[in-house]
């Protein structure tokens, strides 16, 4: 299975999707239009090792909600990601049993190699 969770309005996600082309046989899920299910998040967590690894501290809501001043548990990370798409570090690329999370050059390059 090849799948990419992304945000359509995010210029970084758009740039990375172009970089990862061709995307033949890759399922795209726009996380604002189609929310991540608990089962999908659980699968991502199992591959990534933790909910924290999938959590974006760059989300504007992170500071707005005062979360930067709190100690968050794994359950908190899970609930926040399920509550609002912006808390998922993106894009998330799944290739079989491999997962690539985020937009660092190294991660994007590894995802590109795995996809092709």
């Amino acid at each position: 299975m090849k799948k990419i969770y992304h945000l359509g309005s995010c210029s970084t996600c758009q740039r990375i999707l172009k970089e990862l082309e061709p995307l033949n046989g890759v399922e795209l899920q726009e996380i604002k239009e189609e929310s991540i299910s608990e089962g999908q998040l659980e699968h991502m967590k199992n591959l990534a090792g933790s909910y924290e690894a999938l959590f974006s501290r760059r989300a504007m809501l992170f500071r707005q909600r005062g979360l930067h001043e709190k100690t968050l548990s794994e359950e908190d990370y899970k609930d926040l990601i399920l509550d609002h798409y912006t808390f998922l570090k993106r894009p998330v690329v799944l290739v079989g049993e491999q997962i690539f999370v985020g937009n660092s050059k190294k991660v994007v390059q590894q995802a590109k190699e795995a996809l092709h």
Side-chain angles (χ1 to χ4, degrees), residues 3-111:
K3 185 164 187 167
I4 300 175
Y5 297 90
H6 69 100
L7 183 58
S9 60
C10 171
S11 60
T12 301
C13 284
Q14 292 169 356
R15 176 183 54 79
I16 291 170
L17 286 176
K18 280 192 176 100
E19 202 174 317
L20 295 176
E21 288 179 343
L23 295 174
N24 304 345
V26 178
E27 182 184 345
L28 299 177
Q29 182 170 332
E30 208 289 346
I31 60 175
K32 187 174 182 180
E33 291 176 8
E34 183 184 344
S35 298
I36 298 165
S37 71
E38 192 167 348
Q40 289 172 323
L41 184 59
E42 186 71 25
H43 180 68
M44 285 188 257
K45 191 246 342 173
N46 290 337
L47 295 175
S50 69
Y51 292 113
E52 184 177 9
L54 299 166
F55 187 81
S56 173
R57 287 181 166 73
R58 292 183 177 178
M60 285 199 280
L61 288 179
F62 184 67
R63 283 197 151 312
Q64 287 174 0
R65 292 186 181 181
L67 300 172
H68 61 292
E69 297 171 350
K70 298 178 181 173
T71 303
L72 300 174
S73 68
E74 274 293 288
E75 197 62 31
D76 292 330
Y77 291 123
K78 175 185 176 184
D79 292 343
L80 286 164
I81 293 169
L82 289 173
D83 176 55
H84 203 281
Y85 64 86
T86 195
F87 287 119
L88 180 69
K89 191 184 288 186
R90 53 195 185 269
V92 175
V93 180
L94 300 177
V95 182
E97 291 301 305
Q98 294 179 289
I99 188 168
F100 306 93
V101 182
N103 55 33
S104 74
K105 285 186 180 195
K106 181 180 175 186
V107 168
V108 173
Q109 184 59 40
Q110 289 172 338

